[in-house]
């Protein structure tokens, strides 16, 4: 049976059935639709009553450009070693263990392409935290500390040509020329995408598409989102 958006909502909601705060991770390659899926889930789950679902992207743990320059890594910004993976894992642990006060998470300013400290407040009322990023399933270095903090991780998958098209458009939107965007996507981004794709088998659910995808107003509509319709249980 095709996966529906309501199926995803039910699965996310069920993570909180034990009464404690739950953490849901959404992984996938750049341009695969992680942020879109996370934002739709959070919006739909919070549609009635007081908000009880928070969205904490991994992107806030990008190292600042000044530090990437010092390390000589700015030309491959977005690679695993251009993030504070240990800091991200520590935040997830805090979100899991400290649910009696506000926990602040960093955000990421896409125009500046810089992390912003303390930009995302997660209140005690948040019973589900949705976090998304490239490397949630990576099992090397400090990234290996991330997966144990998450109740489930879903892997977003997208048609490769569409994923590349979206990614080029995103880089152009934030200031790169078409030639610069294509070079970046097919170079640094592609190496990262291949590394991320190899983590797919560690996911609890692979999301290749969704029936009944919500529109911009939060209403469900017919048809698929993210790509071809379907899903697999992870290994």
């Amino acid at each position: 049976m095709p996966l529906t958006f309501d199926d995803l909502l039910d699965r996310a909601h069920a993570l909180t059935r034990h009464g404690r705060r739950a953490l849901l991770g959404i992984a996938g390659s750049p341009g695969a639709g992680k942020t879109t899926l996370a934002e739709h889930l959070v919006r739909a789950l919070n549609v009635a009553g007081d908000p009880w679902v928070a969205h904490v992207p991994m992107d806030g743990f990008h190292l600042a450009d000044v530090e990437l320059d010092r390390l000589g890594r700015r030309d491959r910004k977005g690679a695993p070693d251009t993030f504070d993976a240990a800091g991200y894992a520590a935040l997830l642990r805090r979100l899991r263990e400290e649910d009696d006060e506000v926990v602040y998470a960093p955000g990421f300013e896409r125009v500046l392409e810089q992390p912003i400290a303390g930009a995302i407040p997660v209140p005690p009322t948040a019973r589900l935290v949705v976090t998304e990023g490239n490397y949630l399933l990576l099992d090397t270095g400090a990234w290996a500390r991330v997966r144990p903090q998450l109740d489930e991780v879903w892997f977003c998958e997208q048609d490769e040509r569409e994923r590349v098209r979206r990614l080029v458009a995103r880089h152009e939107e934030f200031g790169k020329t078409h030639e610069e965007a294509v070079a970046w996507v097919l170079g640094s981004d592609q190496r990262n995408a291949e590394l991320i794709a190899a983590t797919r088998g560690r996911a609890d659910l692979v999301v290749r598409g969704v029936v009944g995808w919500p529109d911009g107003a939060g209403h469900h509509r017919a048809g698929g989102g993210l790509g071809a319709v379907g899903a697999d249980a992870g290994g």
Side-chain angles (χ1 to χ4, degrees), residues 79-103:
D81 63 350
T82 66
F83 290 86
D84 177 13
Y88 178 53
L91 174 71
L92 296 178
R93 185 175 64 251
R94 281 192 66 201
L95 289 170
R96 176 174 289 283
E97 297 175 355
E98 301 177 20
D99 62 356
D100 56 350
E101 61 182 11
V102 176
V103 175

Side-chain angles (χ1 to χ4, degrees), residues 16-183:
T16 65
R17 63 185 179 276
H18 298 302
R20 59 172 176 77
R21 176 182 284 166
L23 276 65
L24 168 62
I26 300 176
S29 298
K34 303 179 298 295
T35 301
T36 299
L37 175 56
E39 289 177 346
H40 281 318
L41 284 171
V42 171
R43 186 180 302 118
L45 289 167
N46 280 333
V47 73
D50 294 329
W52 63 279
V53 184
H55 180 199
V56 179
M58 185 197 82
D59 277 353
F61 288 89
H62 271 281
L63 297 180
D65 284 352
V66 64
E67 177 63 3
L68 293 177
D69 286 337
R70 186 186 74 82
L71 295 170
R73 301 175 188 172
R74 190 170 176 180
D75 62 340
R76 51 191 182 83
K77 184 173 182 175
D81 63 350
T82 66
F83 290 86
D84 177 13
Y88 178 53
L91 174 71
L92 296 178
R93 185 175 64 251
R94 281 192 66 201
L95 289 170
R96 176 174 289 283
E97 297 175 355
E98 301 177 20
D99 62 356
D100 56 350
E101 61 182 11
V102 176
V103 175
Y104 288 95
F108 188 74
E109 216 297 319
R110 291 235 167 244
V111 175
L112 298 175
E113 289 200 330
Q114 294 297 296
I116 307 294
I120 302 172
V122 180
T125 52
R127 308 320 298 158
L128 176 66
V129 176
V130 178
T131 185
E132 39 89 11
N134 296 341
Y135 303 115
L136 276 58
L137 294 168
L138 205 61
D139 62 355
T140 57
W143 290 108
R145 306 177 199 170
V146 170
R147 179 62 186 90
Q149 301 302 326
L150 302 171
D151 293 270
E152 278 198 357
V153 178
W154 303 350
F155 190 93
C156 274
E157 207 165 49
Q158 177 62 266
D159 172 79
E160 186 65 7
R161 294 204 314 185
E162 174 63 12
R163 186 188 70 80
V164 169
R165 185 199 67 76
R166 288 182 181 184
L167 205 51
V168 169
R170 180 194 300 173
H171 284 299
E172 290 177 336
E173 180 183 356
F174 292 107
K176 286 183 172 63
T177 67
H178 180 72
E179 292 74 19
E180 290 170 339
V182 170

Side-chain angles (χ1 to χ4, degrees), residues 6-15 17 152 154 204-205 233:
D6 282 339
D7 291 334
L8 295 181
L9 292 177
D10 290 344
R11 183 159 179 153
H13 200 291
L15 295 175
R17 63 185 179 276
E152 278 198 357
W154 303 350
D204 298 288
L205 183 72

